[in-house]
Amino acid sequence: MLFKAFSASVYGIDANMIDVEVDFSGIKTSEDHFHTVGLPDAAVRESRDRVRAAIKNSGFDIPPTHITINLAPADLKKEGSGFDLPMAIGILGAYGALHLKDLSQFLLVGELGLDGAVRAISGMLPVAIAARQRGIPNLIIPRANAREAAVVEGVNVFPVESLNQARELLNAAGNGGIHTPPFRVETQQALDPPHHPALDFADVRGQQTARRALEVAAAGGHNILMIGPPGSGKTMLARRLPSILAPLSFEEALETTKIHSVAGILDPESGLVTQRPFRAPHHTISDAGLIGGGAVPRPGEVSLAHNGLLFLDELPEFPRNVLEVLRQPLEDRSVTISRASMSLSFPSAFMLAAAMNPCPCGYFNDKSRECRCTPPIIQRYVSKVSGPLLDRIDIHIEVPAVQYRELRGNGPSSESSAIIRARVLAARERQRIRFAKDKMHANAQMTTRQIRTHCELAPESEHLLERAMQQQGLTARAHDRILKVARTIADLDNQDKLNTGHVAEAIQYRTLDRSYWS
């Protein structure tokens, strides 16, 4: 007898529908013959032992017969343990243990324990979205994944804790309807929590120039590099940058949650990423760990930071090949990973915040301590960060050591994150209106054509920019980034046109280019 259940499998950050077809011969054999076909991986092949034990320990006696399970379409590789539940339900249906014979209105995913318990899987959000797109209204999934799936409107989520509960739900549907209400969450309430950041800019002493640069970076979505001696506060400033970023929209939250769900790092209690991600990988990370990889590609840190902030501390300590792979995601805002059997793309629209010492000892150009590094040593250290990568970072800012009087002074306290964030949000609103027709939301995303349209310069500003380009030897890419930053500074000043002050401040944020160490 043939029985069909429906499931899904995740590829990249999206899910494809999978038909689980179960056929048994009805002829008892002395040995169990249980075959799974359709390009299953090791985890799927091993599921036969979990499924048979779960069925037995749930109170059903399945005699040894020839059972064949086909996972269609057969040309897609199937991986993971999420097919356990639909395979078990398919076997029960084939043996007549279900009242409902047509499961086309139900999608089932979940791992089974030997006792019949249904356990959580990774990638539930893409599965729920795929079910909605396919027109399947009902999901039977692990209880631990319920909040994650319920953020998708248009599907009914029925969480279960055991194989027997899943069977009872389907039997109820076959006997007139499910009386248990589907699981619901209030997504808008989750996206609007009280904004009380644990790390606040009010705690920062001094560093007015660096604070201003971070405000400009947050307002325009610009990448920023901070250079200064150890203990000057670079890491402290970077960790407070998320407190002034604009809140996530629902679309951004959904896309970010998909990535975290596939990576298996989503908090099951929240079900939705409500704050912009902050990722700070160690400098020993590999290139595959940073941009993603594996036999079946998985998202890396640049994708986990999508719609958020990627912080690279001690930038020159990262291997050169690891830093160079950042070029594509910084430019294209996505990562494409190709393998022999597939090619997958992961979004990576993140802000990059990086920090580094000016030399190996950290005290080059420091007025309080003597640098003992020779020019060749300094040059080798700095050259670990290539010129093309520096060109892709909009703002370079020096973060000097804080003086004792600033550190211990009783002067006026620094502005809080809430005050800075209000200015950032006002600037972002101007950009939202400006780019409403272009599907953009920040100045950092402007193309060359948009720069010409929105960054017109008066003659005196043109002369200033030309002089800076010639004196500092800046590239064409640096020219565009200066104009983008100037546009953001004008937005913070609530100005439609760029003036000389805006351009001069933007040029100042490029003074830490190569000439800084010459």
Side-chain angles (χ1 to χ4, degrees):
M1 178 178 179
L2 177 67
F3 196 89
K4 183 184 292 188
F6 300 90
S7 188
S9 182
V10 176
Y11 297 88
I13 61 169
D14 297 310
N16 288 342
M17 304 304 299
I18 303 296
D19 295 346
V20 181
E21 300 172 331
V22 180
D23 180 75
F24 80 100
S25 65
I27 302 173
K28 295 183 180 180
T29 61
S30 57
E31 296 181 0
D32 183 20
H33 295 277
F34 193 133
H35 302 286
T36 304
V37 296
L39 287 182
D41 72 348
V44 179
R45 289 194 298 269
E46 291 174 354
S47 64
R48 61 184 182 183
D49 298 318
R50 292 193 301 271
V51 168
R52 182 168 286 280
I55 291 175
K56 178 182 177 181
N57 292 320
S58 296
F60 300 95
D61 184 19
I62 302 297
T65 55
H66 288 277
I67 298 176
T68 302
I69 297 180
N70 179 43
L71 304 177
D75 60 342
L76 289 178
K77 188 171 181 60
K78 320 303 185 304
E79 65 166 357
S81 56
F83 297 109
D84 290 4
L85 180 60
M87 289 168 70
I89 289 295
I91 292 173
L92 293 178
Y95 277 93
L98 290 181
H99 299 163
L100 185 65
K101 304 305 180 183
D102 180 10
L103 301 189
S104 60
Q105 300 300 299
F106 290 86
L107 185 144
L108 302 98
V109 284
E111 178 185 332
L112 288 177
L114 299 184
D115 59 351
V118 180
R119 297 171 177 168
I121 64 165
S122 299
M124 182 56 70
L125 182 59
V127 169
I129 294 174
R132 181 182 63 184
Q133 293 173 344
R134 180 75 173 262
I136 298 179
N138 304 305
L139 271 68
I140 298 180
I141 63 172
R143 183 167 296 278
N145 292 124
R147 298 188 65 85
E148 178 184 348
V151 302
V152 180
E153 297 181 355
V155 293
N156 300 316
V157 175
F158 297 99
V160 296
E161 295 180 346
S162 67
L163 175 59
N164 272 329
Q165 284 188 11
R167 173 179 170 271
E168 290 169 3
L169 275 171
L170 293 172
N171 280 340
N175 291 330
I178 300 175
H179 300 292
T180 304
F183 186 87
R184 303 289 186 193
V185 295
E186 183 54 54
T187 56
Q188 193 57 45
Q189 186 177 359
L191 278 176
D192 296 326
H195 189 73
H196 301 298
L199 301 175
D200 198 293
F201 271 99
D203 303 327
V204 179
R205 292 284 185 172
Q207 302 296 8
Q208 295 303 317
T209 302
R211 288 162 56 94
R212 168 66 175 177
L214 289 170
E215 179 181 338
V216 173
H222 303 289
N223 303 320
I224 183 169
L225 170 64
M226 295 176 285
I227 305 176
S232 58
K234 303 185 294 295
T235 303
M236 180 183 185
L237 288 163
R239 292 192 177 277
R240 281 157 176 76
L241 186 52
S243 68
I244 63 173
L245 296 178
L248 282 172
S249 66
F250 180 72
E251 290 75 16
E252 289 177 323
L254 206 61
E255 192 172 36
T256 305
T257 304
K258 284 175 64 176
I259 300 171
H260 287 228
S261 174
V262 169
I265 63 172
L266 183 66
D267 181 6
E269 296 300 322
S270 63
L272 188 70
V273 176
T274 59
Q275 301 293 328
R276 294 194 179 273
F278 178 85
R279 305 292 299 182
H282 193 261
H283 59 75
T284 57
I285 192 171
S286 66
D287 52 356
L290 189 63
I291 68 166
V296 178
R298 293 292 185 183
E301 290 291 334
V302 297
S303 296
L304 295 176
H306 180 61
N307 290 323
L309 182 68
L310 177 68
F311 177 49
L312 301 182
D313 202 1
E314 305 294 346
L315 189 64
E317 299 300 329
F318 285 79
R320 177 70 177 260
N321 66 300
V322 172
L323 292 180
E324 291 308 300
V325 299
L326 278 174
R327 292 192 195 181
Q328 184 203 355
L330 285 174
E331 199 73 23
D332 300 337
R333 305 174 69 82
S334 66
V335 172
T336 300
I337 302 173
S338 298
R339 294 293 181 266
S341 59
M342 68 181 70
S343 180
L344 297 175
S345 293
F346 298 107
S348 59
F350 60 90
M351 267 184 64
L352 173 65
M356 63 179 288
N357 296 331
C359 66
C361 77
Y363 298 108
F364 178 72
N365 269 0
D366 191 346
K367 298 178 181 179
S368 61
R369 298 193 184 186
E370 181 182 357
C371 174
R372 299 182 179 181
C373 303
T374 63
I377 292 176
I378 295 175
Q379 189 59 41
R380 279 197 301 270
Y381 180 77
V382 172
S383 63
K384 293 180 181 179
V385 184
S386 67
L389 180 59
L390 279 176
D391 273 349
R392 287 169 169 81
I393 300 177
D394 302 355
I395 298 175
H396 309 164
I397 189 69
E398 184 178 5
V399 184
V402 180
Q403 300 299 316
Y404 180 81
R405 291 184 178 180
E406 289 182 309
L407 193 62
R408 298 293 298 169
N410 295 322
S413 59
S414 301
E415 282 185 321
S416 68
S417 292
I419 296 174
I420 301 173
R421 190 171 189 252
R423 293 197 295 264
V424 168
L425 293 180
R428 280 298 181 102
E429 179 61 19
R430 293 177 62 87
Q431 295 166 57
R432 186 192 66 80
I433 296 172
R434 178 183 302 130
F435 302 124
K437 298 180 180 180
D438 300 317
K439 297 181 180 181
M440 294 166 47
H441 59 268
N443 290 328
Q445 303 172 17
M446 282 193 293
T447 63
T448 302
R449 180 179 298 178
Q450 290 166 332
I451 291 173
R452 292 174 181 171
T453 302
H454 302 297
C455 302
E456 294 185 5
L457 297 180
E460 59 271 17
S461 299
E462 285 278 8
H463 295 320
L464 178 63
L465 181 57
E466 181 182 5
R467 194 161 58 249
M469 292 284 294
Q470 293 174 350
Q471 292 177 354
Q472 298 185 29
L474 300 178
T475 64
R477 185 180 283 115
H479 165 272
D480 289 350
R481 296 190 183 280
I482 287 174
L483 291 178
K484 291 178 183 181
V485 173
R487 178 66 267 169
T488 300
I489 296 169
D491 288 338
L492 285 169
D493 288 346
N494 198 24
Q495 298 291 323
D496 292 327
K497 295 184 178 181
L498 305 186
N499 59 38
T500 305
H502 302 147
V503 177
E505 184 178 352
I507 293 172
Q508 170 190 321
Y509 295 141
R510 301 297 303 192
T511 55
L512 296 183
D513 251 323
R514 289 296 178 184
S515 58
Y516 175 73
W517 290 279
S518 59

